[in-house]
Amino acid sequence: MGANSSSISELPENEYLKKLSGAEPISENDPFWNQLLSFSFTTPTNSADLKLLEEATISVCKSLVEKNPRTGNLGSLIKVFLSRTKELKISAECQNHLFIWQAHNALFIICCLLKVFISRMSEEELQLHFTYEEKAPGSYGTECEDLIEELLCCLIQLIVEIPLLDITYSISLEAVTTLIVFLSCQLFHKEILRESIIHKYLMHGRCLPYTSRLVKTLLYNFIRQERSPPPGTHVFQQQTDGGGLLYGIASGVATGLWTVFTLGGVGSKATPQLEQCSPLANQSLLLLLILANLTDAPDTPNPYRQAIMSFKNTQDNTAFSSSNPHAFQINFNSLYTALCEQQKSDQATLLLYMLLHQNSNVRTYVLARTDMENLVLPILEILYHVEERNSHHVYMALIILLILTEDDSFNRSIHEVILKNITWYAERVLTEISLGSLLILVVIRTIQYNMTRTRDKYLHTNCLAALANMSAQFRSLHQYAAQRIISLFSLLSKKHNKVLEQATQSLRGSLSSNDSPLPDYAQDLNVIEEVIRMMLEIINSCLTNSLHHNPNLVYALLYKRDLFEQFRTHPSFQDIMQNIDLVISFFSSRLEQAGAELSVERVLEIIKQGAVALPKDRLRKFPELKFKYVEEEQPEEFFIPYVWSLVYNSAVALYWNPRDIQLFTMDSG
């Protein structure tokens, strides 16, 4: 770690921090601020470093909470920051390191203080702390009443207007993080916040006109994945020639402990995980997800969600709808590339889900891409490694597939994309397979995993719905994919027989004893029969619509024909079994006529010839299998805790004491 533990332990005794949190008011024009803000460090980029910092400074923060109503020093600090941000754009253009450096340090202190304030008080109490001034104890001023709004607006302006350079990277990151902290009041409430002071400021007034620019900037931060500048490019360091003018000014102003204070940056080696990611891209995406999932205000819908729902491609020249003032344009090709590359993270998968589900422009663009494998393969990898992923990430990946399979052109095109050597698929060496067959294999594997482990009906339903949507367009199924379809049916059949036997034995036992209640085998049997029915409909849909394209499925069907015998006369399956029974009988007859001891190649040849000869009118037509994803009522009950669990667990997020968290339990992330 880049921080010296003994230095951190001395923070509570630091004279500048003690003065800030002390009983004496400090005017915003006091030279003290230059001294306080002249420390050099790299912003901590992991929660472990931030935990150490918070533990060392908690006594200072508590003291400020207690003294601020009489001193108004929090308001003074914020005013100092606001005054220094007015020239930030010019400072960036002129490479004015000193100005940006002190503005960043002011914001870092504000962010640290805010986090403690928000975790310990209501929004109403927080609002009062922003109104306290250097007056009589407990008195309120009028000119500071909108200091929260002024700070929020300033942070948004900083994010959207300051160019992203090496010297501005840290302050841009800090501005995004401070907005997350402002919104973190949700973490300390069990119920979803539907009326929030901070939400109101962000959705109305001075912040509202920046909605589309903020969403666009956060998206571009995610797209660009700009890495943190090398250590030393945005802090003051002694140069080999004895130091430049700026370093001289800094070292002259800074004294005591603050002279060189490093955390997770200068002089320390970053972890491989942090070397591979962009803290700004990560935090920007988290902030975007938080904003998009704010609940609608009573009088207005969430403008950030509206912006995400309506933005268009830069190549789209159609006019914007007048009904949505928050629409904007962004480069869809760059966005698509970033989404493909970042799917290992929950938050990138959640963003992809939101865009496909809510933005028809993005969905149309994605479905028209000719390189869909770049997007689908990372999603399949998430499902394949289901044991290593949290359940929410798996759900999001699965729903993305369900949304994609609602489109017939997608279902056709995935069978035309041929992949070679899928190294992460370990069950079998796949030297060559279509994207469609691989998708089927992974979804079936997910179903089988769910049957033996989690037994989640919701997961089952969505997996089967995706297969059902694809079934009419199954083309040239890989022999292994065809085998796995029938193997899954075999597994379901065995499970059905086992539950049926348990129900029978339980019923017999109940006749001789009335002491114990009966297990609800009827419900279990009903669920398994629903799944079997769905599998039969999927097989039937393929046979009815594309029999001649799938000789491998017919082969697998014939090889395991005995599996289907017990369902021919079952009242729940009789109708759907007619076509399957007809296909089995027709091809069995042709194979018998061809003689015994047939090779696999010869059997497939006979199947291909038979597929042409089989009159299609003999197969009964059933309604087309089509399932559409519908978001549940009150989706915020799922998405808001999920998003905040991502913020809480993020490697580069802020540190919060787990004992303070109310929104979710620590294992729910």
Side-chain angles (χ1 to χ4, degrees):
M1 177 182 145
N4 183 300
S5 57
S6 62
S7 296
I8 287 183
S9 66
E10 294 170 17
L11 282 176
E13 300 305 316
N14 177 261
E15 59 178 297
Y16 300 114
L17 291 180
K18 288 179 76 173
K19 184 172 181 179
L20 174 66
S21 59
E24 293 298 318
I26 307 169
S27 165
E28 60 195 273
N29 300 314
D30 196 303
F32 161 81
W33 299 110
N34 282 332
Q35 297 170 322
L36 174 71
L37 303 179
S38 294
F39 59 91
S40 293
F41 73 103
T42 298
T43 303
T45 53
N46 65 74
S47 56
D49 286 349
L50 280 157
K51 180 182 178 183
L52 289 174
L53 180 63
E54 175 163 318
E55 289 172 348
T57 56
I58 191 68
S59 60
V60 173
C61 296
K62 285 181 179 178
S63 177
L64 185 63
V65 170
E66 180 187 342
K67 307 285 177 53
N68 186 61
R70 293 186 292 278
T71 66
N73 285 345
L74 175 64
S76 295
L77 172 60
I78 290 168
K79 288 177 185 177
V80 169
F81 168 71
L82 292 173
S83 68
R84 298 190 184 210
T85 57
K86 290 174 183 174
E87 305 297 329
L88 266 183
K89 193 172 183 180
I90 296 172
S91 299
E93 293 168 354
C94 299
Q95 297 283 303
N96 188 335
H97 291 247
L98 180 61
F99 207 85
I100 297 169
W101 174 50
Q102 289 200 338
H104 167 268
N105 289 351
L107 183 54
F108 178 74
I109 295 173
I110 290 168
C111 186
C112 291
L113 293 172
L114 269 177
K115 193 169 72 65
V116 175
F117 273 58
I118 287 172
S119 67
R120 293 175 177 271
M121 62 185 68
S122 67
E123 284 188 297
E124 289 75 18
E125 290 175 286
L126 177 69
Q127 192 174 34
L128 285 177
H129 273 277
F130 275 75
T131 66
Y132 297 133
E133 292 185 279
E134 183 189 347
K135 289 187 177 181
S139 66
Y140 303 161
T142 54
E143 66 179 83
C144 297
E145 286 180 356
D146 289 329
L147 202 55
I148 289 183
E149 182 176 34
E150 197 169 343
L151 178 56
L152 287 169
C153 195
C154 176
L155 293 172
I156 293 172
Q157 288 172 334
L158 196 159
I159 293 167
V160 303
E161 293 179 354
I162 304 301
L164 189 58
L165 309 169
D166 279 359
I167 61 170
T168 61
Y169 189 97
S170 286
I171 195 167
S172 296
L173 174 59
E174 205 60 50
V176 172
T177 302
T178 306
L179 279 177
I180 292 175
V181 169
F182 256 121
L183 290 158
S184 68
C185 50
Q186 176 64 80
L187 276 173
F188 311 105
H189 291 79
K190 287 184 179 180
E191 303 299 324
I192 301 301
L193 288 179
R194 300 186 185 279
E195 291 188 16
S196 160
I197 293 170
I198 306 301
H199 296 185
K200 186 176 179 181
Y201 279 125
L202 288 170
M203 291 191 193
H204 299 84
R206 294 171 57 190
C207 295
L208 186 62
Y210 292 95
T211 296
S212 58
R213 291 177 66 190
L214 178 58
V215 171
K216 184 175 182 176
T217 303
L218 295 175
L219 275 173
Y220 268 126
N221 286 348
F222 165 70
I223 289 169
R224 289 170 181 145
Q225 292 290 315
E226 292 282 352
R227 301 201 174 190
S228 183
T233 56
H234 54 310
V235 296
F236 287 86
Q237 296 244 303
Q238 185 93 35
Q239 299 178 16
T240 54
D241 61 357
L245 172 63
L246 291 178
Y247 184 83
I249 295 172
S251 58
V253 172
T255 58
L257 172 63
W258 287 115
T259 306
V260 180
F261 181 52
T262 63
L263 269 176
V266 180
S268 69
K269 184 177 180 181
T271 62
Q273 181 183 11
L274 294 179
E275 286 176 348
Q276 295 170 5
C277 72
S278 161
L280 179 60
N282 181 77
Q283 295 293 76
S284 294
L285 179 52
L286 290 172
L287 176 57
L288 183 64
L289 295 174
I290 293 167
L291 292 171
N293 286 284
L294 297 179
T295 55
D296 293 336
D299 55 341
T300 181
N302 178 347
Y304 302 97
R305 188 183 302 122
Q306 284 188 313
I308 286 174
M309 290 172 64
S310 59
F311 70 81
K312 302 192 301 184
N313 195 353
T314 48
Q315 297 179 347
D316 186 344
N317 295 320
T318 58
F320 285 113
S321 170
S322 58
S323 61
N324 188 352
H326 308 298
F328 61 92
Q329 289 179 296
I330 202 166
N331 187 311
F332 276 17
N333 183 58
S334 301
L335 177 60
Y336 180 80
T337 301
L339 288 168
C340 292
E341 292 174 349
Q342 301 299 322
Q343 283 308 306
K344 288 185 179 178
S345 76
D346 282 66
Q347 44 265 45
T349 305
L350 180 53
L351 176 64
L352 176 58
Y353 157 77
M354 283 170 47
L355 294 178
L356 288 175
H357 177 53
Q358 298 178 358
N359 190 313
S360 59
N361 300 318
V362 173
R363 185 167 61 251
T364 301
Y365 176 86
V366 167
L367 289 168
R369 292 284 301 205
T370 56
D371 58 348
M372 279 295 293
E373 66 273 17
N374 291 338
L375 187 68
V376 175
L377 281 173
I379 298 299
L380 294 183
E381 256 196 279
I382 294 168
L383 292 175
Y384 183 80
H385 296 293
V386 59
E387 302 95 336
E388 303 166 17
R389 305 289 180 180
N390 69 68
S391 60
H392 290 355
H393 199 183
V394 172
Y395 282 143
M396 288 297 101
L398 189 54
I399 292 169
I400 286 166
L401 286 185
L402 180 56
I403 292 170
L404 293 174
T405 61
E406 291 171 13
D407 184 76
D408 285 341
S409 63
F410 170 84
N411 295 330
R412 284 191 295 270
S413 65
I414 55 174
H415 293 288
E416 297 167 4
V417 178
I418 304 302
L419 309 168
K420 296 182 184 295
N421 300 317
I422 307 301
T423 54
W424 49 263
Y425 193 93
E427 277 81 353
R428 180 165 172 155
V429 176
L430 300 174
T431 54
E432 187 172 287
I433 189 171
S434 72
L435 180 60
S437 288
L438 181 63
L439 197 159
I440 292 166
L441 285 175
V442 173
V443 171
I444 287 175
R445 186 180 183 276
T446 306
I447 294 172
Q448 291 180 323
Y449 174 83
N450 187 47
M451 285 176 65
T452 57
R453 305 283 181 87
T454 54
R455 300 184 181 183
D456 187 325
K457 186 180 177 183
Y458 182 79
L459 197 68
H460 259 7
T461 303
N462 284 285
C463 284
L464 290 167
L467 289 176
N469 284 346
M470 296 167 59
S471 59
Q473 276 86 32
F474 282 173
R475 293 288 188 278
S476 304
L477 289 183
H478 191 280
Q479 62 179 22
Y480 187 51
Q483 289 170 17
R484 298 309 295 162
I485 291 172
I486 304 305
S487 295
L488 175 58
F489 185 81
S490 174
L491 187 66
L492 292 167
S493 176
K494 289 175 184 175
K495 191 168 182 64
H496 178 267
N497 293 340
K498 183 180 179 181
V499 174
L500 196 59
E501 185 181 345
Q502 288 173 335
T504 304
Q505 290 177 352
S506 177
L507 190 60
R508 285 174 184 161
S510 68
L511 295 175
S512 57
S513 173
N514 294 320
D515 296 338
S516 57
L518 282 174
D520 193 1
Y521 288 112
Q523 185 177 355
D524 291 346
L525 202 59
N526 185 52
V527 170
I528 195 72
E529 287 185 356
E530 281 181 12
V531 177
I532 288 174
R533 169 84 191 187
M534 192 81 155
M535 279 302 301
L536 289 171
E537 287 180 342
I538 289 166
I539 295 169
N540 178 71
S541 174
C542 176
L543 297 177
T544 306
N545 293 284
S546 53
L547 176 68
H548 56 295
H549 289 299
N550 293 290
N552 284 328
L553 182 63
V554 177
Y555 184 101
L557 200 62
L558 293 172
Y559 191 76
K560 292 284 188 178
R561 70 190 85 177
D562 294 344
L563 279 176
F564 299 88
E565 281 294 327
Q566 63 175 306
F567 300 108
R568 292 174 68 185
T569 56
H570 194 293
S572 298
F573 313 119
Q574 242 177 337
D575 58 337
I576 205 75
M577 275 299 301
Q578 288 178 16
N579 285 344
I580 297 172
D581 196 33
L582 188 151
V583 168
I584 291 173
S585 300
F586 177 82
F587 285 98
S588 296
S589 174
R590 293 182 76 92
L591 290 174
E592 287 171 8
Q593 292 171 17
E597 303 299 325
L598 300 172
S599 67
V600 173
E601 292 76 15
R602 177 60 182 147
V603 171
L604 285 171
E605 186 182 339
I606 293 169
I607 289 171
K608 290 174 183 177
Q609 293 169 351
V612 177
L614 177 65
K616 290 187 178 179
D617 57 2
R618 290 182 61 186
L619 295 174
R620 178 182 167 187
K621 290 288 183 183
F622 285 85
E624 184 183 13
L625 289 179
K626 270 298 170 190
F627 293 88
K628 191 175 179 64
Y629 170 68
V630 178
E631 202 168 67
E632 294 183 11
E633 291 184 15
Q634 293 188 312
E636 65 274 8
E637 298 289 343
F638 169 83
F639 286 106
I640 291 177
Y642 180 31
V643 169
W644 279 106
S645 74
L646 298 182
V647 176
Y648 177 83
N649 290 308
S650 172
V652 293
L654 289 142
Y655 167 76
W656 282 281
N657 190 324
R659 292 192 301 271
D660 296 334
I661 306 300
Q662 298 291 319
L663 182 61
F664 49 79
T665 56
M666 288 305 104
D667 60 350
S668 68

